[in-house]
Every structure is written in structure tokens, then in C-alpha cells.
Amino acid sequence: MKKPIVILIARREILDLLRDRRTLMLILLLPAIIYPAFAAVGFLFASTLMGQKSIVGVVRPATADPNNFALAVGGLASTQLPETRWPALFQDEQFHPELLGQSSKPTQAAGSDQLAVRWLDSDDPAPLQNREVDTMLVLPSDFERLIIAGKKPEIRLMRRESDETSKLAMGRVESILGAYRNKLNATRFEQAGLTNSFDQPFQIVTPEQGKPLSQLTANELRDTLVKFLPLLIVMWTMAGALHPAIDLTAGEKERGTMETLLICPARRSEIVAGKFLAVFVFGYMSAIYNLMWMALGAIIAGFFLPEPILSFTGLAWTCILAIPLAMFFSSLALGLGAFARSTKEGQYYLLPIMLLVMPLSLIPLTPGIQLTPGLSMIPISGLVLILQNLLSVSGKPISALTWCTGLGSFFFYVWISLFWASRQFRRENVLFRSQQALSPRVRLKLWWQSVRNRQRGEI
């Protein structure tokens, strides 16, 4: 195999692909549109959700004082337990300010400007169904007496089914009621002469305890990227290799330039190597290009978080391991493109490849799965598991045996795919399946060229 001929063919194929606007749009323009669009939609969704105003319909007891409610009605608290100061759920016809913003979930936290209280006379769900309120809070008529007596009154929350606005409002009210329940417990313990931690016989200490919310958010984003970034690299590498390979094989059949290439003084192996190199360049550059967009988004998000959500070491390993991934998809797509009769038929092969690659890419997302030498030998899955382990902060070191079995088996799959693609280019009945009948002149040229190649031992 002569290297200058391979490079010459690869240059010719790359220039042809660069002239194809559809390929450039798929590889260059589409990621430049998708990633900013995803970021804008995510930011809009988060800002809308955090700023969503919720209207809570409250059915309070008829004897309740709206200016200071609950547990301060009719002198009940002052006459029976004068030394006890019971906490209030409402103040000035709104939820008490001390109870707002105490949720552990950012989407359920709310300020005084995000929650509005509307008083209702009955528990009729008509205001809820008519969207006059987003959720309803129904308090029993003897709520205060039961609380002071040490009973458990039942508070009902109502919402609309399959309504995100109502679900958000209900979650916010639940967080407020949870904070109010903690205050009531503290008051009861104080009344009984017990400490606030009386109902907690032991304390659970976790690594996340005491960390700020911004750091917990950064950790969650990093764990999500570790899982899904290798999957995205696999899908974009496959997309970047399939379309150029189909254009360089089935597309040449339709354009009638395959015969001209085959009768040129070049071996079939050199033709396959040149086309493979061109497709590999496009597949690998597609992976690197999308990785740059994802890294850019992670860097921008890092400005708003206390720590980065991606490591440069993991990104470097991703760039390195994208090489065998691009080689595998390039060889596989080259063989399928040579087997296809036309570009349209070659595009039909995209669905079976997707159906095969997607389950293999989703296996590493299984909770609790561990990287072992056996799992590293599974096509696609083994490489994705290795990438996840390298990107993870707490990933265990990869053993030498796992490296050998994982990369060795993957390069073996690349060799099989490339050998199969080379076999397709040696079979004229496959290369010219789209032609009903070749002209005698073309047949004679192909026959004479094959004779000369056999004499020189080139085939």
C-alpha cells in the first residue's frame, strides 16, 4: 500500500465533502444551533419556574383571626398555656415570613412575592377547577384546639391533576407546612421540658451536610454530565461518520464516478484506506467539535457555581478515546455505504444502526454498574464505561487488564469492520448493484484493470 496514493485519495474525498453543504450543516451548523438553543430553553425554564407566582386558596376555621392565625384565637393560647408562645401559620393574611424560603428544593422555595393567599369560605373545589387558585389548603374547624390538646388534626391539600402550575404550588405549600410542623414540634418539646432533638435518637452525618446549595447543584450537574457526555459523544461521532461515508460510496454510485475511481492506477486497499481516512477525519472532528460546545457550556456554567463541573483531564481522555470510536463508525459506515445501491438506501441503514447503538450506549447508565474486564469488551458499552470512570471525580482506577481488554477488543471490532468494508470494495457485484447493465466499454476496462492487478499481485 502506497502512502502518497492513500493521502491523495483522502484529500480528494475531503474536498468533495467540504463542497457538500448538507454535510457541513449536519456537522458544523447543527451543533452551533442546538447547544445554544438548549441552554436558552433551560435558562428560560428555570427562571420561569423560580419566578412562577402561586395562588393558594385557604379554607380556614370560621373563628380564626386573619391578622394572626393560627393558635392565637379567642385567648385560647393565653388562658390555657400562658407561658407557651405557639407559632403562627399566617400573618397579615399571608403565610408567616419566617416559614417562607425554607424548602430544601430550589423549585419549591418561594418568597412573599411568589405566594398569594386567597381566603375561601368552603372546601368546594370549584375555584380550583376554574383556575382561580392553584392549590387549596383546607384546615379543620377545631385545628387550634386539637394542636394544643396534643392531637393530630388533618390538613388537606388539593390540586388539579396533570397541571404543573398546580403541582408547583402544592409543593411550595408542603414545604411551608413542613417548616410550620417543625416549629410546632419545637414548641411541644419546650412545653414538656424536652430538647428539640428528643425525637431524633441518633444523627446521620453525610458528606453533603452543611454544603451550600450552589455546591450541591454543581455536584449534581457534574454527575449528570459524567453519565450523558459519553453518550452524546457516541451519537455525534456516529452521525459525523455515517453521512460522509454514504456520500463517498453510495453517492459516487449515483454520480457515476465510482467506475472512474476504480480504473485509476490504485489498489482497492488504497482506495478503501483513502476513503476511510476521509470519513474518519469527519467523524472525529464532529466529536471534537461537539465536545468543544459542551465544554464551553460547562465553563460558562462554572462562572455561576463555586467549582467547575468538568475536569480538563477527563476532557483530554475523551478526545483520545474518541479516536477508536470514530475509527469504528467510519469503517462500519463505509462498508454499509458500499453495500447500498443508492444514497436513499444508505440512509435507510441509519435506523438499524441507531437501534443497535442506542441500547449499547444506555447500558452504562444502569445504576450500580461497575467497570470490569468482561464489561469492557462489550462494543460501545465498554468504551462508554471507561469514559464515565475517567470523567468521574470518585471513579476507581482502571486496571491494566481492563485497559487491555477494553481497547484491545474495540480495535479488534474496528479491524473486523474495516476488513468487511474492504471486502465490499473487492466485489464488483456489490459495487455495481445500482447499475442495471454496464456498457461493454466499462466492463472491458474493469476486466483489463483486474487482470493487470492480478498479474502484479495487487489484489
PDB file of all heavy atoms in Angstrom, residues 231 234-235 238 328-329 332 352-362 380:
ATOM      1  N   LEU A 231     -22.374   9.406  26.128  1.00  0.00           N
ATOM      2  CA  LEU A 231     -23.472   9.022  25.230  1.00  0.00           C
ATOM      3  C   LEU A 231     -23.605  10.019  24.085  1.00  0.00           C
ATOM      4  O   LEU A 231     -23.777   9.621  22.913  1.00  0.00           O
ATOM      5  CB  LEU A 231     -24.776   8.933  26.021  1.00  0.00           C
ATOM      6  CG  LEU A 231     -26.056   8.690  25.232  1.00  0.00           C
ATOM      7  CD1 LEU A 231     -25.993   7.340  24.522  1.00  0.00           C
ATOM      8  CD2 LEU A 231     -27.267   8.751  26.138  1.00  0.00           C
ATOM      9  N   VAL A 234     -20.802   9.533  21.565  1.00  0.00           N
ATOM     10  CA  VAL A 234     -21.048   8.367  20.703  1.00  0.00           C
ATOM     11  C   VAL A 234     -22.027   8.718  19.591  1.00  0.00           C
ATOM     12  O   VAL A 234     -21.795   8.413  18.409  1.00  0.00           O
ATOM     13  CB  VAL A 234     -21.576   7.187  21.549  1.00  0.00           C
ATOM     14  CG1 VAL A 234     -22.106   6.068  20.649  1.00  0.00           C
ATOM     15  CG2 VAL A 234     -20.475   6.641  22.437  1.00  0.00           C
ATOM     16  N   MET A 235     -23.122   9.380  19.929  1.00  0.00           N
ATOM     17  CA  MET A 235     -24.146   9.676  18.930  1.00  0.00           C
ATOM     18  C   MET A 235     -23.640  10.678  17.885  1.00  0.00           C
ATOM     19  O   MET A 235     -23.895  10.523  16.684  1.00  0.00           O
ATOM     20  CB  MET A 235     -25.402  10.218  19.611  1.00  0.00           C
ATOM     21  CG  MET A 235     -25.995   9.281  20.653  1.00  0.00           C
ATOM     22  SD  MET A 235     -26.239   7.587  20.073  1.00  0.00           S
ATOM     23  CE  MET A 235     -27.427   7.836  18.776  1.00  0.00           C
ATOM     24  N   MET A 238     -21.090   9.001  15.552  1.00  0.00           N
ATOM     25  CA  MET A 238     -21.787   8.166  14.577  1.00  0.00           C
ATOM     26  C   MET A 238     -22.432   9.019  13.487  1.00  0.00           C
ATOM     27  O   MET A 238     -22.333   8.698  12.293  1.00  0.00           O
ATOM     28  CB  MET A 238     -22.846   7.318  15.283  1.00  0.00           C
ATOM     29  CG  MET A 238     -23.640   6.410  14.357  1.00  0.00           C
ATOM     30  SD  MET A 238     -24.824   5.397  15.263  1.00  0.00           S
ATOM     31  CE  MET A 238     -25.871   6.659  15.960  1.00  0.00           C
ATOM     32  N   PHE A 328     -14.188   3.101  14.420  1.00  0.00           N
ATOM     33  CA  PHE A 328     -15.193   2.026  14.338  1.00  0.00           C
ATOM     34  C   PHE A 328     -16.381   2.441  13.478  1.00  0.00           C
ATOM     35  O   PHE A 328     -16.794   1.706  12.576  1.00  0.00           O
ATOM     36  CB  PHE A 328     -15.655   1.665  15.755  1.00  0.00           C
ATOM     37  CG  PHE A 328     -16.773   0.679  15.794  1.00  0.00           C
ATOM     38  CD1 PHE A 328     -16.556  -0.655  15.510  1.00  0.00           C
ATOM     39  CD2 PHE A 328     -18.062   1.080  16.116  1.00  0.00           C
ATOM     40  CE1 PHE A 328     -17.596  -1.570  15.538  1.00  0.00           C
ATOM     41  CE2 PHE A 328     -19.105   0.181  16.153  1.00  0.00           C
ATOM     42  CZ  PHE A 328     -18.870  -1.159  15.862  1.00  0.00           C
ATOM     43  N   PHE A 329     -16.935   3.618  13.747  1.00  0.00           N
ATOM     44  CA  PHE A 329     -18.092   4.058  12.978  1.00  0.00           C
ATOM     45  C   PHE A 329     -17.716   4.356  11.523  1.00  0.00           C
ATOM     46  O   PHE A 329     -18.530   4.146  10.618  1.00  0.00           O
ATOM     47  CB  PHE A 329     -18.712   5.295  13.625  1.00  0.00           C
ATOM     48  CG  PHE A 329     -19.508   4.995  14.856  1.00  0.00           C
ATOM     49  CD1 PHE A 329     -19.198   5.590  16.066  1.00  0.00           C
ATOM     50  CD2 PHE A 329     -20.573   4.112  14.822  1.00  0.00           C
ATOM     51  CE1 PHE A 329     -19.925   5.319  17.203  1.00  0.00           C
ATOM     52  CE2 PHE A 329     -21.315   3.823  15.952  1.00  0.00           C
ATOM     53  CZ  PHE A 329     -20.982   4.426  17.151  1.00  0.00           C
ATOM     54  N   LEU A 332     -17.449   0.901   9.763  1.00  0.00           N
ATOM     55  CA  LEU A 332     -18.779   0.299   9.645  1.00  0.00           C
ATOM     56  C   LEU A 332     -19.627   1.027   8.620  1.00  0.00           C
ATOM     57  O   LEU A 332     -20.296   0.404   7.780  1.00  0.00           O
ATOM     58  CB  LEU A 332     -19.458   0.313  11.010  1.00  0.00           C
ATOM     59  CG  LEU A 332     -20.857  -0.308  11.098  1.00  0.00           C
ATOM     60  CD1 LEU A 332     -20.794  -1.789  10.781  1.00  0.00           C
ATOM     61  CD2 LEU A 332     -21.463  -0.076  12.481  1.00  0.00           C
ATOM     62  N   PRO A 352     -31.376   0.933  11.594  1.00  0.00           N
ATOM     63  CA  PRO A 352     -30.853  -0.259  12.274  1.00  0.00           C
ATOM     64  C   PRO A 352     -29.596   0.014  13.097  1.00  0.00           C
ATOM     65  O   PRO A 352     -29.421  -0.549  14.182  1.00  0.00           O
ATOM     66  CB  PRO A 352     -30.552  -1.222  11.105  1.00  0.00           C
ATOM     67  CG  PRO A 352     -31.435  -0.780  10.004  1.00  0.00           C
ATOM     68  CD  PRO A 352     -31.530   0.708  10.146  1.00  0.00           C
ATOM     69  N   ILE A 353     -28.722   0.898  12.590  1.00  0.00           N
ATOM     70  CA  ILE A 353     -27.519   1.213  13.363  1.00  0.00           C
ATOM     71  C   ILE A 353     -27.895   1.927  14.652  1.00  0.00           C
ATOM     72  O   ILE A 353     -27.348   1.649  15.724  1.00  0.00           O
ATOM     73  CB  ILE A 353     -26.561   2.069  12.513  1.00  0.00           C
ATOM     74  CG1 ILE A 353     -26.052   1.255  11.319  1.00  0.00           C
ATOM     75  CG2 ILE A 353     -25.384   2.543  13.348  1.00  0.00           C
ATOM     76  CD1 ILE A 353     -25.136   2.030  10.415  1.00  0.00           C
ATOM     77  N   MET A 354     -28.851   2.865  14.573  1.00  0.00           N
ATOM     78  CA  MET A 354     -29.302   3.560  15.773  1.00  0.00           C
ATOM     79  C   MET A 354     -29.914   2.590  16.780  1.00  0.00           C
ATOM     80  O   MET A 354     -29.654   2.677  17.981  1.00  0.00           O
ATOM     81  CB  MET A 354     -30.313   4.629  15.394  1.00  0.00           C
ATOM     82  CG  MET A 354     -29.742   5.806  14.637  1.00  0.00           C
ATOM     83  SD  MET A 354     -28.931   6.993  15.722  1.00  0.00           S
ATOM     84  CE  MET A 354     -30.325   7.635  16.612  1.00  0.00           C
ATOM     85  N   LEU A 355     -30.727   1.653  16.294  1.00  0.00           N
ATOM     86  CA  LEU A 355     -31.357   0.679  17.181  1.00  0.00           C
ATOM     87  C   LEU A 355     -30.343  -0.243  17.825  1.00  0.00           C
ATOM     88  O   LEU A 355     -30.598  -0.801  18.902  1.00  0.00           O
ATOM     89  CB  LEU A 355     -32.392  -0.143  16.402  1.00  0.00           C
ATOM     90  CG  LEU A 355     -33.611   0.625  15.883  1.00  0.00           C
ATOM     91  CD1 LEU A 355     -34.515  -0.300  15.074  1.00  0.00           C
ATOM     92  CD2 LEU A 355     -34.390   1.253  17.038  1.00  0.00           C
ATOM     93  N   LEU A 356     -29.198  -0.431  17.183  1.00  0.00           N
ATOM     94  CA  LEU A 356     -28.157  -1.271  17.758  1.00  0.00           C
ATOM     95  C   LEU A 356     -27.257  -0.494  18.704  1.00  0.00           C
ATOM     96  O   LEU A 356     -26.865  -0.998  19.760  1.00  0.00           O
ATOM     97  CB  LEU A 356     -27.313  -1.886  16.626  1.00  0.00           C
ATOM     98  CG  LEU A 356     -26.160  -2.799  17.058  1.00  0.00           C
ATOM     99  CD1 LEU A 356     -26.700  -4.025  17.786  1.00  0.00           C
ATOM    100  CD2 LEU A 356     -25.325  -3.219  15.852  1.00  0.00           C
ATOM    101  N   VAL A 357     -26.946   0.742  18.353  1.00  0.00           N
ATOM    102  CA  VAL A 357     -26.003   1.534  19.146  1.00  0.00           C
ATOM    103  C   VAL A 357     -26.664   2.092  20.403  1.00  0.00           C
ATOM    104  O   VAL A 357     -26.028   2.155  21.469  1.00  0.00           O
ATOM    105  CB  VAL A 357     -25.407   2.661  18.278  1.00  0.00           C
ATOM    106  CG1 VAL A 357     -24.586   3.627  19.133  1.00  0.00           C
ATOM    107  CG2 VAL A 357     -24.543   2.082  17.179  1.00  0.00           C
ATOM    108  N   MET A 358     -27.926   2.500  20.326  1.00  0.00           N
ATOM    109  CA  MET A 358     -28.583   3.111  21.478  1.00  0.00           C
ATOM    110  C   MET A 358     -28.628   2.192  22.698  1.00  0.00           C
ATOM    111  O   MET A 358     -28.252   2.622  23.806  1.00  0.00           O
ATOM    112  CB  MET A 358     -29.995   3.555  21.092  1.00  0.00           C
ATOM    113  CG  MET A 358     -30.039   4.863  20.324  1.00  0.00           C
ATOM    114  SD  MET A 358     -29.418   6.258  21.306  1.00  0.00           S
ATOM    115  CE  MET A 358     -30.665   6.369  22.564  1.00  0.00           C
ATOM    116  N   PRO A 359     -29.071   0.924  22.591  1.00  0.00           N
ATOM    117  CA  PRO A 359     -29.048   0.071  23.796  1.00  0.00           C
ATOM    118  C   PRO A 359     -27.639  -0.139  24.341  1.00  0.00           C
ATOM    119  O   PRO A 359     -27.439  -0.167  25.557  1.00  0.00           O
ATOM    120  CB  PRO A 359     -29.664  -1.246  23.302  1.00  0.00           C
ATOM    121  CG  PRO A 359     -30.445  -0.890  22.098  1.00  0.00           C
ATOM    122  CD  PRO A 359     -29.706   0.230  21.454  1.00  0.00           C
ATOM    123  N   LEU A 360     -26.656  -0.277  23.434  1.00  0.00           N
ATOM    124  CA  LEU A 360     -25.284  -0.453  23.900  1.00  0.00           C
ATOM    125  C   LEU A 360     -24.776   0.787  24.615  1.00  0.00           C
ATOM    126  O   LEU A 360     -23.969   0.695  25.552  1.00  0.00           O
ATOM    127  CB  LEU A 360     -24.373  -0.779  22.712  1.00  0.00           C
ATOM    128  CG  LEU A 360     -24.617  -2.130  22.027  1.00  0.00           C
ATOM    129  CD1 LEU A 360     -23.739  -2.263  20.802  1.00  0.00           C
ATOM    130  CD2 LEU A 360     -24.350  -3.277  22.991  1.00  0.00           C
ATOM    131  N   SER A 361     -25.245   1.969  24.199  1.00  0.00           N
ATOM    132  CA  SER A 361     -24.828   3.206  24.861  1.00  0.00           C
ATOM    133  C   SER A 361     -25.562   3.428  26.171  1.00  0.00           C
ATOM    134  O   SER A 361     -25.047   4.118  27.059  1.00  0.00           O
ATOM    135  CB  SER A 361     -25.072   4.405  23.929  1.00  0.00           C
ATOM    136  OG  SER A 361     -24.388   4.256  22.708  1.00  0.00           O
ATOM    137  N   LEU A 362     -26.765   2.860  26.301  1.00  0.00           N
ATOM    138  CA  LEU A 362     -27.555   3.070  27.522  1.00  0.00           C
ATOM    139  C   LEU A 362     -27.235   2.069  28.625  1.00  0.00           C
ATOM    140  O   LEU A 362     -27.632   2.277  29.769  1.00  0.00           O
ATOM    141  CB  LEU A 362     -29.048   3.000  27.188  1.00  0.00           C
ATOM    142  CG  LEU A 362     -29.583   4.121  26.294  1.00  0.00           C
ATOM    143  CD1 LEU A 362     -31.047   3.879  25.959  1.00  0.00           C
ATOM    144  CD2 LEU A 362     -29.409   5.482  26.948  1.00  0.00           C
ATOM    145  N   ILE A 380     -19.005  -0.556  22.219  1.00  0.00           N
ATOM    146  CA  ILE A 380     -19.560   0.738  22.603  1.00  0.00           C
ATOM    147  C   ILE A 380     -19.721   0.847  24.113  1.00  0.00           C
ATOM    148  O   ILE A 380     -19.219   1.797  24.735  1.00  0.00           O
ATOM    149  CB  ILE A 380     -20.914   1.019  21.896  1.00  0.00           C
ATOM    150  CG1 ILE A 380     -20.774   0.830  20.381  1.00  0.00           C
ATOM    151  CG2 ILE A 380     -21.412   2.408  22.223  1.00  0.00           C
ATOM    152  CD1 ILE A 380     -19.836   1.785  19.721  1.00  0.00           C
TER     153      ILE A 380
END
